[in-house]
Amino acid sequence: MINLSMLKPTGHLTLGNLLGALRPMAAAQVSPARSTCYYGIADLHALTVGHDPARLREVPAEMARLLLAVGLDRSTLFIQSHVPAHSELSYLLECTAHVGELNRMIQFKEKGRNRPSTRVSLFTYPALMAADILLYRPTDVPVGDDQRQHVELTRDLALRFNRSYGEVFTVPEIVTAPAGARVMDLQDPTSKMDKSRDDGGGTIYLLDPPDVVRRKVGRAVTDSEVGVGSVRPDREAKPGVTNLLDILAACGGSTEGITTYGALKAAVTDAVIAELEPIQKLYADLDPGDVSSVFASGAEVCRRATAPVLAAARTAMGLA
Ligand code: ADP
């Protein structure tokens, strides 16, 4: 079984990324004999919107070190642009994709269509994503709702390619990702905690020191209910409190004896700090040179694993 996940280096990793993605990614490594995990930093995808080159140098380096610090040390870790097959296959897939189908992509409609300065790469992004997937031949791809349409397009492109040029690609099945922990923004608990959004104090980053965590949790939005029974989950009426309860549970804390929002925030603060402390310690202890060599050998493994798929696609299309 192939596990494949890619994270866009659009911002610093958050508690949401940890609980919703990195933890399940680490859990998938449990049986290396039965599953191979490829985890990539999707730096090429970060170029689809206005970007700052200096930041693009820094964020993936921090992310690489953090992926090791959260325990993804039994996976093949790589940086997308270090495996040129991704962009090469992306171009071949662009040559099978139709303007009409890319125009229908909801993310493009919402984020770029009809704006003259939208980068062309945002329009063709789904072809790169299809390449990211098809190169590794996974038999199934777990997706959340926001990526379903892109993975459906991946299937359509693979099927069309196979029909037109010969059976090159494994067409993956789409499976619904198990509903993982969903961490909401502490200041705006009806929106998800998002690494790409400006930090208005509602996002906890994995490298936030304990006093910053304490301040952010202390200022988290709750509600005006007081008295016995106010500390209870109710996603509609009490999104802030529910989020704090979810975070507490996901970080292994207990609500026993907690009757006030102040006590709840103190418990959440302790649980989050305890969760982040070992990660931050490992992060500090990791040697940047060692991180680079883990990613260099990961990229080498990916180059070897993907070469036959790219070669088959080239040949099938008639390239010498
Ligand atoms: P991208 O890397 O595509 O920019 P995100 O940072 O939004 O996207 O997501 C990377 C991964 O982290 C995804 O698997 C996503 O579901 C998960 N994730 C991101 N934010 C949260 C959150 N607030 N709660 C739970 N999971 C999250």
Side-chain angles (χ1 to χ4, degrees):
M1 158 114 179
I2 305 278
N3 284 298
L4 178 70
S5 249
M6 300 192 53
L7 297 157
K8 253 188 295 176
T10 45
H12 304 287
L13 287 172
T14 70
L15 184 67
N17 292 128
L18 177 70
L19 301 177
L22 302 174
R23 255 212 210 149
M25 283 158 69
Q29 304 178 117
V30 166
S31 172
R34 281 193 296 127
S35 63
T36 310
C37 299
Y38 292 98
Y39 295 142
I41 297 179
D43 56 350
L44 296 173
H45 286 288
L47 300 178
T48 55
V49 290
H51 80 286
D52 169 13
R55 193 171 152 82
L56 191 57
R57 260 170 235 124
E58 279 158 28
V59 175
E62 177 191 289
M63 203 177 245
R65 197 162 156 188
L66 268 170
L67 294 188
L68 282 170
V70 301
L72 300 179
D73 50 356
R74 280 166 293 161
S75 302
T76 297
L77 298 175
F78 66 102
I79 292 179
Q80 185 187 28
S81 68
H82 297 182
V83 185
H86 287 254
S87 26
E88 289 181 52
L89 184 60
S90 174
Y91 180 71
L92 302 186
L93 291 172
E94 275 176 32
C95 298
T96 65
H98 300 162
V99 168
E101 60 198 352
L102 292 182
N103 246 325
R104 280 195 297 276
M105 293 294 118
I106 295 161
Q107 285 196 14
F108 179 67
K109 277 197 214 168
E110 286 175 352
K111 293 189 188 160
R113 200 160 84 179
N114 298 330
R115 287 181 215 153
S117 60
T118 294
R119 293 188 177 184
V120 172
S121 55
L122 188 71
F123 181 61
T124 57
Y125 171 109
L128 179 57
M129 182 167 158
D132 295 338
I133 296 171
L134 297 174
L135 278 171
Y136 295 85
R137 298 185 187 273
T139 49
D140 47 44
V141 178
V143 286
D145 280 344
D146 57 335
Q147 287 300 340
R148 179 170 290 269
Q149 197 190 22
H150 288 156
V151 184
E152 278 164 4
L153 180 73
T154 299
R155 280 174 52 85
D156 291 345
L157 296 182
L159 285 165
R160 185 180 304 147
F161 188 104
N162 287 351
R163 242 187 351 258
S164 310
Y165 306 114
E167 290 288 322
V168 167
F169 297 120
T170 302
V171 182
E173 295 300 324
I174 299 178
V175 297
T176 304
R182 194 170 156 79
V183 181
M184 309 308 277
D185 189 282
L186 299 178
Q187 289 299 319
D188 173 12
T190 53
S191 310
K192 88 173 185 170
M193 191 179 276
D194 188 345
K195 69 170 149 56
S196 313
R197 221 170 35 162
D198 269 353
D199 178 21
T203 306
I204 295 178
Y205 295 103
L206 298 187
L207 294 177
D208 276 348
D211 58 317
V212 173
V213 173
R214 185 166 297 114
R215 194 174 67 235
K216 287 179 177 173
V217 176
R219 289 184 189 159
V221 169
T222 51
D223 53 63
S224 55
E225 190 179 334
V226 284
V228 179
S230 57
V231 179
R232 66 185 147 80
D234 180 339
R235 213 163 292 283
E236 298 295 305
K238 299 165 73 71
V241 171
T242 307
N243 189 34
L244 291 174
L245 288 166
D246 286 346
I247 294 172
L248 184 62
C251 294
S254 151
T255 50
E256 213 173 298
I258 293 179
T259 55
T260 64
Y261 293 165
L264 174 62
K265 287 179 171 180
V268 170
T269 301
D270 290 346
V272 171
I273 290 173
E275 186 73 29
L276 299 186
E277 218 165 34
I279 296 171
Q280 294 177 356
K281 176 157 185 354
L282 263 171
Y283 181 90
D285 290 347
L286 276 165
D287 179 72
D290 293 344
V291 178
S292 298
S293 59
V294 168
F295 276 75
S297 56
E300 181 54 34
V301 170
C302 292
R303 285 193 290 268
R304 261 186 277 124
T306 59
V309 181
L310 177 64
R314 287 179 52 106
T315 308
M317 285 187 100
L319 296 169

